[in-house]
Amino acid sequence: MTSRRIVSNEKNILEKDDSNERTPSASEKSSIAPAVPAPVIIKLLGFTAAMVGGPIGVYFLTVNTIFRGNSTWAGATAAFTANLVLVAYVIVAMKEDQSDRIAAEGSAKKKR
């Protein structure tokens, strides 16, 4: 028994040429605005510096001054500091998301 070959004139997903659909035409200008606003990048860099410098600084400040050489307690304090920075970042991100949502709702009400 022979198998039947299916002949199709349609192009499959790999054969289609999508390059014309994604590129803007010569009369249109492409957007060169950054994908992420600058204040968001600044906040991220600030929290990154706090996440790196905070726990290390707290460890070395407390290991000999407060805990008198007990590195276990100084390490626990550094871990606690890292968790504080993380929680602060989550709170700031949630507040920023809420403010964006409120601004979007306000502009939607003005359009009505």
Side-chain angles (χ1 to χ4, degrees), residues 2 4-5 10 21 25 27-28 30 41-43 53-55 58 62 64 73 76 91-93 95 112:
T2 62
R4 183 183 285 189
R5 183 175 183 175
E10 294 181 17
E21 296 175 7
S25 65
S27 62
E28 295 178 17
S30 62
I41 298 294
I42 292 170
K43 284 179 194 172
V58 166
T62 60
N64 289 323
W73 285 103
I91 290 171
V92 167
K95 285 188 178 185
R112 290 182 188 176

Side-chain angles (χ1 to χ4, degrees), residues 18-58:
D18 295 345
S19 63
N20 292 337
E21 296 175 7
R22 293 189 180 141
T23 58
S25 65
S27 62
E28 295 178 17
K29 291 203 172 204
S30 62
S31 175
I32 58 169
V36 180
V40 173
I41 298 294
I42 292 170
K43 284 179 194 172
L44 182 62
L45 290 175
F47 277 105
T48 301
M51 185 61 91
V52 171
I56 293 172
V58 166

Side-chain angles (χ1 to χ4, degrees), residues 36-109:
V36 180
V40 173
I41 298 294
I42 292 170
K43 284 179 194 172
L44 182 62
L45 290 175
F47 277 105
T48 301
M51 185 61 91
V52 171
I56 293 172
V58 166
Y59 174 80
F60 284 111
L61 285 174
T62 60
V63 72
N64 289 323
T65 56
I66 296 175
F67 299 117
R68 297 187 181 121
N70 188 347
S71 61
T72 303
W73 285 103
T77 307
F80 182 73
T81 304
N83 285 318
L84 283 179
V85 172
L86 182 65
V87 168
Y89 178 74
V90 169
I91 290 171
V92 167
M94 287 176 61
K95 285 188 178 185
E96 181 178 304
D97 186 41
Q98 288 174 353
S99 65
D100 290 345
R101 195 175 321 135
I102 290 171
E105 288 175 359
S107 65
K109 288 181 181 178

